[in-house]
Amino acid sequence: MTEKIAEVKACAGCGVKLQMEHVDKLGYVPAQALDRSPIICQRCFRMKNYNESSGITLDHNDFLKLLSHVGHTKSLVVNIVDIFDFEGTLISGLPRFVGDNPIVLVVNKIDLLPKVTNYNRIINWIRKQASEFGLKVVEVVLCSAKMNLGFDRVIKALDEHRNGRDIYVVGATNVGKSTLINRLIRDYSDLEAELTTSQYPGTTLDLVKIPMDDGTFIIDTPGIVYPHRLTELVSKKDLAALMPDKVVKPVVFQLNEKQTIFFGSFVRFDFIQGARQSFTFYVSNSITPHRTKLERADELYAEHKGVMLAPPTLEALELLPKLTKVPVRIPKGKIYDVSISGLGWIKVNSDSGADLAIHVPKGVKVAVREAMI
């Protein structure tokens, strides 16, 4: 079998080097597929036969290296992000690499937001946030891959801004990139032509190019792994608890200073100092908050982590980085959110200011931003 791989060497679809050892790595081909002609890797096979997109991932720096050629092409870049983890899934540094090419920001999972949400206000908020990240976008489109909402608007936006360009689809893991690629294939490509590839300088990774009916390509890029997202650190079972699958019901707590809220053993929220005020927690409803006094918080965690304070289980908790305290000062005069990448966010409902501390597994991103809702 391995002799056959050595003889063929590369996938006839995407051109990547074939291998049989690692299912989750590029070029994997199962033994039974070696009798096919031409021989293509599992990734291409799934894309051609089941409209399944790439499950291959890269870290941020390797990904930006991969994109370094895009500025020299005539392309439309589609950056798909997760509304529930906006800061955690935006690709910082993207503008440096795409040159003058237009960027459409597709914001997925809007079905998780409360029903009363004003979507125009959300779009304005996203534009402002993206601009603060240095990301100039030609359009923001809200959608829900799961509920198949807003995809017609995505297609319309791409038609408006494409002007005969290739489409690069970029995004972090678990943001819904595969669903978008599948929809693009359905609308723009018959996938009868062989998938092709191009080698780009400075990278060992081949991008899959899906031919469109007009002779241009949809370019499928690997999902980016961001270790600052809690969702990247947990087990599959705990991932299901962290990532909401239906409308999030916000939980409101009226708190005095020196009070603490635990979210399982994942995250601890301390209200250290400030006037009595309310906080709204936008997190998955699979995670039950637990309130206690700040003076008892350490003891409670030591005694009940992984059991009463769950998920995760004690066993799964051992595999996570230790909780680290992140001091957070909320300024006076405006309404702010504290976002915790991979968990959700907390809206501080008073403009009187507060001193907080967020305890998260070491490395998880905590950010203060103007309130989204």
Side-chain angles (χ1 to χ4, degrees):
M1 291 291 183
T2 44
E3 295 83 356
K4 193 154 189 179
I5 279 196
E7 194 183 302
V8 176
K9 290 185 182 161
C11 165
C14 67
V16 80
K17 188 179 173 188
L18 294 171
Q19 53 89 14
M20 294 174 69
E21 289 75 49
H22 307 286
V23 180
D24 58 340
K25 296 233 166 82
L26 278 174
Y28 176 73
V29 58
Q32 65 269 27
L34 294 176
D35 295 328
R36 289 195 200 109
S37 180
I39 297 176
I40 59 174
C41 71
Q42 185 163 271
R43 181 187 191 221
C44 287
F45 180 79
R46 284 182 170 166
M47 192 180 285
K48 289 189 72 172
N49 293 283
Y50 305 116
N51 271 5
E52 277 184 26
S53 183
S54 164
I56 305 298
T57 59
L58 274 187
D59 74 22
H60 183 75
N61 291 334
D62 285 341
F63 179 81
L64 289 181
K65 254 189 240 165
L66 180 77
L67 276 199
S68 59
H69 72 284
V70 177
H72 306 294
T73 66
K74 190 185 173 200
S75 309
L76 174 63
V77 178
V78 178
N79 181 188
I80 180 161
V81 298
D82 180 346
I83 191 67
F84 212 71
D85 188 7
F86 187 77
E87 285 76 15
T89 56
L90 260 190
I91 303 171
S92 57
L94 186 62
R96 293 203 310 275
F97 291 88
V98 302
D100 295 330
N101 287 314
I103 300 170
V104 171
L105 194 59
V106 174
V107 182
N108 190 20
K109 304 191 186 177
I110 55 149
D111 56 297
L112 301 178
L113 298 179
K115 291 277 189 264
V116 293
T117 304
N118 178 331
Y119 289 137
N120 285 333
R121 189 178 184 283
I122 297 286
I123 287 173
N124 291 336
W125 180 89
I126 288 164
R127 278 192 175 281
K128 192 173 179 194
Q129 294 298 114
S131 177
E132 283 176 16
F133 272 84
L135 197 62
K136 287 195 178 107
V137 298
V138 291
E139 189 158 349
V140 172
V141 190
L142 305 181
C143 72
S144 163
K146 187 181 174 213
M147 307 303 287
N148 199 20
L149 291 171
F151 269 93
D152 292 340
R153 179 61 232 157
V154 174
I155 298 298
K156 193 174 171 201
L158 300 192
D159 284 341
E160 281 172 20
H161 301 293
R162 196 154 71 88
N163 298 326
R165 300 166 187 260
D166 292 339
I167 299 174
Y168 278 79
V169 184
V170 300
T173 53
N174 292 316
V175 295
K177 188 167 70 70
S178 301
T179 313
L180 178 63
I181 288 268
N182 293 342
R183 177 61 197 263
L184 295 183
I185 287 171
R186 206 175 83 203
D187 280 63
Y188 288 129
S189 173
D190 57 10
L191 258 195
E192 289 305 310
E194 282 295 333
L195 301 178
T196 58
T197 185
S198 298
Q199 275 272 308
Y200 296 117
T203 173
T204 55
L205 183 68
D206 298 314
L207 302 181
V208 168
K209 299 175 76 177
I210 302 150
M212 290 192 269
D213 299 337
D214 64 358
T216 58
F217 293 91
I218 300 161
I219 291 123
D220 178 29
T221 65
I224 313 163
V225 175
Y226 282 128
H228 62 239
R229 299 171 69 203
L230 184 56
T231 42
E232 296 289 5
L233 304 177
V234 301
S235 67
K236 271 193 173 172
K237 184 182 170 193
D238 290 332
L239 183 63
L242 275 176
M243 291 180 73
D245 61 354
K246 50 181 176 280
V247 177
V248 168
K249 290 178 183 158
V251 179
V252 182
F253 281 100
Q254 283 284 346
L255 297 180
N256 295 316
E257 59 184 17
K258 306 283 192 289
Q259 286 191 298
T260 290
I261 308 279
F262 280 100
F263 290 90
S265 295
F266 287 129
V267 171
R268 167 179 154 186
F269 169 90
D270 295 342
F271 179 20
I272 293 171
Q273 194 172 12
R276 177 176 167 81
Q277 56 190 287
S278 76
F279 298 86
T280 305
F281 295 83
Y282 293 85
V283 303
S284 166
N285 299 121
S286 303
I287 300 173
T288 308
H290 190 98
R291 173 159 49 176
T292 189
K293 290 179 179 171
L294 182 57
E295 65 195 31
R296 280 214 61 229
D298 288 341
E299 183 191 337
L300 186 84
Y301 183 76
E303 283 179 18
H304 297 290
K305 63 185 177 184
V307 186
M308 182 179 81
L309 299 178
T313 60
L314 209 48
E315 193 182 8
L317 193 59
E318 294 295 316
L319 303 174
L320 286 175
K322 295 279 180 278
L323 287 189
T324 307
K325 181 179 176 178
V326 180
V328 173
R329 169 155 282 188
I330 303 296
K332 291 181 179 178
K334 269 187 185 172
I335 306 295
Y336 290 96
D337 289 336
V338 180
S339 76
I340 300 164
S341 185
L343 178 80
W345 70 94
I346 300 135
K347 183 181 172 191
V348 183
N349 294 315
S350 164
D351 63 359
S352 60
D355 283 332
L356 313 172
I358 312 292
H359 302 248
V360 289
K362 190 177 169 72
V364 168
K365 187 174 193 171
V366 176
V368 177
R369 66 191 192 193
E370 279 188 36
M372 185 201 301
I373 294 173

